[in-house]
Amino acid sequence: MAGAPNGGSASDDQDRLQVHAEGGHGAVPTAGVPIHEPGGPARDWPLWEVFVRARRGLSHSHVGSLHAPDATMALRNARDVYTRRQEGVSLWVVPAGMITASSPDEKDQFFDPAADKIYRHPTFYDVPAGVDHL
Amino acid sequence: MYGNDFGPKIDDTEPDDPVLLETFDRTIAAGERIEPRDAMPSGYRKTLIRQIAQHAHSEIIGMQPEGNWITRAPSLRRKAILMAKVQDEAGHGLYLYAAAETLGASREEVLDLLHAGKQKYSSIFNYPTVTWADMGAIGWLVDGAAIVNQVPICRCSYGPYARAMVRICKEESFHQRQGFEILNTLSHGTPAQRAMAQDAIDRWWWPSLMMFGPPDDQSPNSAQSMAWGIKRFSNDELRQRFVDMIVPQAAVLELTLPDPELRWNADSEHWDFGPIEWDEFFRVLKGDGPCNEQRIAHRRRAHADGAWVREAALAYADKTAIRTAAVA
């Protein structure tokens, strides 16, 4: 590619680059920007999902993910990335590949059984006037 | 935050299924969030990957101009703060790369595209940081503009991106305050310190305004992004919001914004400002900025120098896994 490493291609010089203030740190080109590299990348570290217990008495909640070669490094990196401001008192890291998820495609069938059992909710029942603490 | 609940391998050549997209349209219309495994138009996916990846690149390239001053910060307090800020930027990059991954773009892949110059980062980071006051100007103006840009993305229609932005925005507010504090100290210090602060504002003001992108009538992609709920406000709206926010703060600093046409408009109840030099913006974006080559060369070198660490860590993990399996 001609020009500076971060420069546009020669065809960009014909007309002004298409740019857009997308993303937070300011305007970047939006036209002619590829999103996949032919041939694919080298082997990356595995992906881990990170869960943080914000304080005692709460359950762990998913906060994000990161790449790390093994569980020990995943924990250390999770500490540095997700608890820099005392966001937690306990961390879990789970290999992303070990998580089994329901798929949005099967959403209707998968969650349908709950829809016709409204008698599971207290609001289903009529309570006569004057009955308290029920 | 991201829920890397990955969908099937993405085939960009596959046409969009109209039935599945009906659900997408309904979700967007209802103001609800799209999550990783939902069906989405390929254009939506591509736009988001490009936007999130280039946003992530901006965060990590943005570490360089500030990293430049860590060893020369004027006190231990300032040095510790600057290191914390640069570390935050690395974290922001990571949150965003993770969000891009939920769309099927691997982190290695988008980094390769950055190093090849095929994906870009914000042109603001192609300006040099020549004095300590530039740390103040970057925090106050550049991070200030970033916050104005980023706050609406907290409500972006794509869930993982929006969640990353919530976290980033919380952290950015410290960045802007520390920048303001640096300038406030300098501007009320010795005449030389005051002049240094004014000089930094003079250099960073216009590039900060350019961060919001070209005027609305020259921003062809905005309409589609707004329809998809990715972008909430136009470039010009956000720019005006930034100017209105900064002018009163500049008064407290007792520094002058370098625009003779800057004046309060009682009719519109906004600050009017002078024309922006877009030629400079496009020149820097194309590669002719003061630091384009230096920034990308440094990034490539850092990545190459770290290759042995990444490989060694993988080799160690592989070896440990084999030993653990043998014991079990």
Side-chain angles (χ1 to χ4, degrees), chain B residues 159-274:
Chain B
Y161 192 25
R163 293 192 284 278
M165 291 319 305
V166 169
R167 200 179 173 94
I168 289 175
C169 285
K170 275 186 197 159
E171 300 184 352
E172 290 282 358
S173 55
F174 130 61
H175 297 180
Q176 202 196 7
R177 283 190 183 194
Q178 67 89 34
F180 186 86
E181 192 198 65
I182 289 173
L183 290 176
N184 200 31
T185 306
L186 290 174
S187 73
H188 297 101
T190 66
Q193 287 172 328
R194 187 180 164 72
M196 186 195 279
Q198 183 60 56
D199 167 67
I201 302 301
D202 291 347
R203 282 180 290 109
W204 289 95
W205 171 248
W206 290 107
S208 299
L209 289 191
M210 294 175 197
M211 285 175 68
F212 295 94
D216 293 346
D217 53 7
Q218 292 170 40
S219 189
N221 287 343
S222 288
Q224 180 61 74
S225 277
M226 287 174 102
W228 275 332
I230 296 173
K231 196 173 166 68
R232 298 277 177 188
F233 300 97
S234 78
N235 296 354
D236 287 334
E237 282 176 301
L238 293 170
R239 189 167 13 245
Q240 185 65 56
R241 189 176 295 181
F242 174 70
V243 173
D244 291 347
M245 177 182 94
I246 288 294
V247 172
Q249 295 175 1
V252 176
L253 291 175
E254 299 182 79
L255 293 171
T256 310
L257 298 170
D259 180 357
E261 294 180 45
L262 191 67
R263 58 179 56 87
W264 178 250
N265 182 329
D267 295 331
S268 68
E269 302 204 313
H270 289 294
W271 288 88
D272 288 340
F273 51 93

Side-chain angles (χ1 to χ4, degrees), chain B residues 18-294:
Chain B
V19 179
L20 288 177
L21 292 192
E22 235 183 76
T23 315
F24 173 86
D25 290 338
R26 230 182 6 252
T27 308
I28 294 282
E32 288 192 36
R33 298 282 163 82
I34 302 297
E35 294 296 343
R37 294 219 291 186
D38 289 336
M40 57 186 90
S42 56
Y44 179 82
R45 182 187 299 279
K46 284 179 197 164
T47 298
L48 277 170
I49 291 177
R50 184 190 66 225
Q51 172 165 344
I52 299 171
Q54 297 197 129
H55 191 170
H57 300 332
S58 303
E59 299 283 355
I60 63 164
I61 294 286
M63 295 165 75
Q64 293 185 37
E66 292 181 294
N68 186 32
W69 279 91
I70 287 177
T71 56
R72 291 173 288 164
S75 69
L76 188 57
R77 177 179 180 272
R78 298 286 184 202
K79 183 175 182 148
I81 292 171
L82 189 57
M83 280 168 64
K85 182 175 188 299
V86 172
Q87 190 191 17
D88 273 353
E89 307 296 358
H92 296 178
L94 185 133
Y95 308 153
L96 290 163
Y97 285 123
E101 282 187 275
T102 64
L103 291 158
S106 87
R107 182 179 64 167
E108 282 290 316
E109 194 173 26
V110 293
L111 276 175
D112 287 348
L113 288 165
L114 168 66
H115 298 150
K118 292 177 185 167
Q119 289 185 347
K120 306 288 160 98
Y121 53 87
S122 173
S123 59
I124 193 85
F125 300 118
N126 290 319
Y127 291 91
T129 46
V130 294
T131 71
W132 168 252
D134 288 10
M135 298 302 96
I138 286 186
W140 180 49
L141 294 176
V142 176
D143 290 326
I147 291 171
V148 171
N149 242 337
Q150 288 175 152
V151 166
I153 311 178
C154 295
R155 294 188 290 118
C156 160
S157 63
Y158 187 58
Y161 192 25
R163 293 192 284 278
M165 291 319 305
V166 169
R167 200 179 173 94
I168 289 175
C169 285
K170 275 186 197 159
E171 300 184 352
E172 290 282 358
S173 55
F174 130 61
H175 297 180
Q176 202 196 7
R177 283 190 183 194
Q178 67 89 34
F180 186 86
E181 192 198 65
I182 289 173
L183 290 176
N184 200 31
T185 306
L186 290 174
S187 73
H188 297 101
T190 66
Q193 287 172 328
R194 187 180 164 72
M196 186 195 279
Q198 183 60 56
D199 167 67
I201 302 301
D202 291 347
R203 282 180 290 109
W204 289 95
W205 171 248
W206 290 107
S208 299
L209 289 191
M210 294 175 197
M211 285 175 68
F212 295 94
D216 293 346
D217 53 7
Q218 292 170 40
S219 189
N221 287 343
S222 288
Q224 180 61 74
S225 277
M226 287 174 102
W228 275 332
I230 296 173
K231 196 173 166 68
R232 298 277 177 188
F233 300 97
S234 78
N235 296 354
D236 287 334
E237 282 176 301
L238 293 170
R239 189 167 13 245
Q240 185 65 56
R241 189 176 295 181
F242 174 70
V243 173
D244 291 347
M245 177 182 94
I246 288 294
V247 172
Q249 295 175 1
V252 176
L253 291 175
E254 299 182 79
L255 293 171
T256 310
L257 298 170
D259 180 357
E261 294 180 45
L262 191 67
R263 58 179 56 87
W264 178 250
N265 182 329
D267 295 331
S268 68
E269 302 204 313
H270 289 294
W271 288 88
D272 288 340
F273 51 93
I276 296 171
E277 279 285 327
W278 288 110
D279 287 342
E280 174 191 322
F281 172 79
F282 286 104
R283 209 167 51 241
V284 175
L285 199 69
K286 278 184 185 176
D288 292 339
C291 299
N292 295 56
E293 282 191 50
Q294 181 189 336

Side-chain angles (χ1 to χ4, degrees), chain A residues 70, chain B residues 311-321:
Chain A
D70 57 29
Chain B
E311 286 162 18
L314 262 183
Y316 178 77
D318 287 347
K319 187 178 79 175
T320 314

